[in-house]
Amino acid sequence: TDTPRNVAAQATEPNTARGVWDGDPETAGQQFYEAGLKAFMAGDRDTALQHFKQAWKYNQQLDPAIRTQLKDKMIALESRRPD
């Protein structure tokens, strides 16, 4: 018999989700945003941008002020990337 299996939503996220997102889709945006801030403060701009991009996928969950900060940080990080 073919038994249906549930696959964790986390499995559909890229590797950046490991250790960042607990799998709760209701808080994903905030969790990725906070992980991006942590990486940014540590000087890891590439990881910060990855997390911010993941957070943007859930931007509708974020407070408008956080959404604005997230957008500004992504623009700043993308504009400073070497070609």
Side-chain angles (χ1 to χ4, degrees):
T1 324
D2 198 12
T3 306
R5 293 184 338 172
N6 290 334
V7 177
Q10 193 168 354
T12 63
E13 294 294 329
N15 289 339
T16 57
R18 290 193 188 130
V20 173
W21 182 44
D22 64 9
D24 182 357
E26 296 296 317
T27 60
Q30 187 67 36
Q31 290 180 53
F32 281 116
Y33 177 71
E34 289 172 4
L37 286 178
K38 186 175 178 180
F40 184 77
M41 298 301 279
D44 188 347
R45 299 170 63 85
D46 290 335
T47 300
L49 183 57
Q50 285 180 324
H51 290 317
F52 289 151
K53 285 180 176 180
Q54 287 299 111
W56 190 255
K57 291 180 182 178
Y58 303 94
N59 72 77
Q60 70 282 356
Q61 299 173 350
L62 301 172
D63 178 78
I66 298 293
R67 192 178 313 132
T68 300
Q69 291 174 21
L70 173 59
K71 186 177 178 183
D72 291 345
K73 284 177 175 41
M74 287 193 311
I75 290 169
L77 287 170
E78 287 177 332
S79 67
R80 294 188 185 143
R81 294 181 69 109
D83 289 335

